Amino acid sequence: MRLIASFRCHHTHNLLLPNSFFSLPTAPTTTVTPNRKSPKCIPVSSSTIRLEVRAHSVSPKMVKAIRVHELGGPQVLKWEDVELGDPKDGEIRVKNKAIGLNFIDIYFRKGVYKAAAFPFTPGMEAVGIVTAVGSGLTGRKVGDIVAYAGNPMGSYAEEQILPADKVVPVPPSIDPIVAASILLKGMTAQFLLRRCFKVERGHTVLVHAAAGGVGSLLCQWANTLGATVIGTVSTKEKAVQAKDDGCHHVIIYKEEDFVTRVNEITSGQGVEVVYDSVGKDTFQGSLDCLKTCGFMVSFGQSSGSPDPVPLSALAVKSLFLTRPTMMHYTITRDELLETAGEVFANVVSGVLRVRVNHTYPLSQAAQAHADLESRKTSGSVVLIPDGAQ
């Protein structure tokens, strides 16, 4: 609601006043007795000014977004009109320029991860321009280019409302499409390599899906840290990319057994850490590739959830097993800024080279999902709001 107050004077003046101005907002009219005579207003009667209050409804803004009304395949992604209100305290409204597509979006669409309610708008990464700022908010202003990765879900939209403390500034030297393609994946690579298991010079690491969005960054970053990088891919074309991204050894798993090949490469010693985003198809083999006291990092399940693992299976080599998520490593504002800042710094310095190999109009998100699930894509996939370019 917006309340418009009219003071009746020689000339009519319409003043916009906040709701809090009125002690009785339900009353249609109120009579106020001024303490002194106004030099600009002539009262209607000897000592009163008539204050008329009229309530006007402000129509909500309509934007286009992808909506999911039921779980299922890519076909459940529907292009619809949704209402978008004004940002509240601590919030900003952002017009998206580019939206990152990630496998976690597929997990929510299929029900592997549970959405809080239906229908919902998927998407957990975007870059855009601030178009409105909630009252009392400092540190953000209209026109800022900002990015976010993680919660809240809902980036598959032309515009969205976001908590201001969940966005990070995008360096002017980084294109919005590049930023949207790397922030979530790059922050994932950062916490996997620097915090979940700290990769150091002399380590040997195994990266599954080495030509994928996260895998590509893991290979580049681990190589820079001085590790020997072994990567698995599905095709010869992806093998070329993985090699270019810093893999010292590339295994095409459709042509050879990756466990046998890793054993040959490491002379039977195994690797210090496995980064496995594939899940069911590679999980047991990944455990077999680890050296004694090795670290198994299972951070995805593109082939399905792994079978349950008895603790006794880990005891054979005193293995460590973790199933981390990025959101638990970026809970505080300082953690978020530090993680994102290191990613952007590595992009600017050239440590991380971003491959935006595929872009789709946002309205064609279903096709993008289908291509990603069928492994027709490599590198990063970005959705562009229709008409944004």
Side-chain angles (χ1 to χ4, degrees):
M1 285 289 190
R2 174 177 292 175
L3 297 180
I4 298 180
S6 299
F7 289 86
R8 186 176 179 186
C9 310
H10 279 310
H11 300 284
T12 302
H13 300 274
N14 289 327
L15 306 178
L16 296 181
L17 299 177
N19 290 348
S20 59
F21 179 86
F22 304 96
S23 58
L24 296 172
T26 57
T29 61
T30 305
T31 300
V32 178
T33 303
N35 294 327
R36 63 177 182 273
K37 185 176 181 181
S38 170
K40 295 182 180 179
C41 253
I42 300 175
V44 176
S45 61
S46 59
S47 61
T48 62
I49 297 175
R50 183 75 169 174
L51 179 60
E52 298 177 354
V53 181
R54 302 191 310 274
H56 291 256
S57 296
V58 179
S59 300
K61 184 176 185 178
M62 303 300 294
V63 300
K64 286 287 189 181
I66 295 292
R67 300 286 277 170
V68 175
H69 294 263
E70 59 181 340
L71 301 177
Q75 73 278 0
V76 304
L77 299 172
K78 303 300 183 183
W79 183 237
E80 298 179 351
D81 290 314
V82 297
E83 293 184 0
L84 187 70
D86 292 325
K88 301 175 183 177
D89 292 351
E91 295 180 336
I92 57 175
R93 187 172 66 216
V94 178
K95 184 176 183 180
N96 289 329
K97 289 177 169 287
I99 299 155
L101 172 60
N102 298 281
F103 234 96
I104 194 171
D105 305 341
I106 293 173
Y107 295 156
F108 274 105
R109 190 203 75 217
K110 296 170 71 172
V112 177
Y113 295 162
K114 306 302 181 185
F118 282 87
F120 68 89
T121 298
M124 305 188 77
E125 178 181 35
V127 174
I129 184 169
V130 177
T131 57
V133 175
S135 61
L137 186 65
T138 59
R140 294 270 71 87
K141 65 181 185 301
V142 172
D144 285 350
I145 302 297
V146 297
Y148 97 102
N151 291 321
M153 185 166 58
S155 65
Y156 284 22
E158 292 176 326
E159 291 190 53
Q160 63 184 132
I161 302 294
L162 289 169
D165 62 358
K166 295 297 184 182
V167 305
V168 297
V170 177
S173 58
I174 299 180
D175 183 88
I177 293 178
V178 171
S181 74
I182 198 174
L183 185 58
L184 182 59
K185 301 172 187 68
M187 288 170 59
T188 299
Q190 193 273 353
F191 89 80
L192 291 176
L193 291 167
R194 310 301 294 142
R195 300 173 64 194
C196 191
F197 177 89
K198 193 172 179 63
V199 171
E200 298 176 348
R201 183 172 299 279
H203 285 163
T204 301
V205 306
L206 174 60
V207 178
H208 287 300
V214 175
S216 171
L217 301 178
L218 285 171
C219 293
Q220 295 177 54
W221 207 329
N223 183 297
T224 300
L225 293 171
T228 297
V229 183
I230 305 172
T232 69
V233 297
S234 59
T235 67
K236 292 180 179 179
E237 292 75 20
K238 290 183 178 182
V240 172
Q241 177 185 309
K243 194 75 173 179
D244 190 47
D245 282 337
C247 275
H248 300 91
H249 307 276
V250 183
I251 302 168
I252 303 176
Y253 63 83
K254 291 184 177 180
E255 298 180 2
E256 54 186 338
D257 178 68
F258 74 85
V259 177
T260 300
R261 187 73 185 102
V262 168
N263 189 59
E264 294 172 352
I265 293 169
T266 63
S267 300
Q269 296 299 305
V271 300
E272 272 83 7
V273 60
V274 177
Y275 292 109
D276 190 337
S277 62
V278 177
K280 186 178 181 64
D281 291 350
T282 55
F283 190 87
Q284 185 56 53
S286 295
L287 292 177
D288 294 340
C289 288
L290 289 168
K291 64 168 42 178
T292 300
C293 298
F295 217 96
M296 172 65 174
V297 182
S298 175
F299 69 99
Q301 51 203 50
S302 60
S303 67
S305 299
D307 294 329
V309 179
L311 288 177
S312 58
L314 304 179
V316 175
K317 291 188 287 186
S318 294
L319 300 179
F320 295 88
L321 169 62
T322 183
R323 179 56 173 92
T325 64
M326 187 199 73
M327 276 67 82
H328 293 150
Y329 286 80
T330 54
I331 292 176
T332 70
R333 177 70 177 165
D334 287 343
E335 288 173 335
L336 175 63
L337 291 175
E338 180 182 354
T339 305
E342 188 171 358
V343 171
F344 286 145
N346 280 341
V347 173
V348 173
S349 69
V351 168
L352 297 179
R353 291 170 297 158
V354 184
R355 284 188 174 86
V356 185
N357 292 343
H358 312 273
T359 60
Y360 298 77
L362 177 58
S363 59
Q364 296 179 21
Q367 184 62 54
H369 272 228
D371 290 348
L372 180 61
E373 279 188 280
S374 61
R375 300 192 180 186
K376 293 180 180 179
T377 66
S378 63
S380 295
V381 181
V382 175
L383 304 173
I384 307 297
D386 298 51
Q389 289 187 321

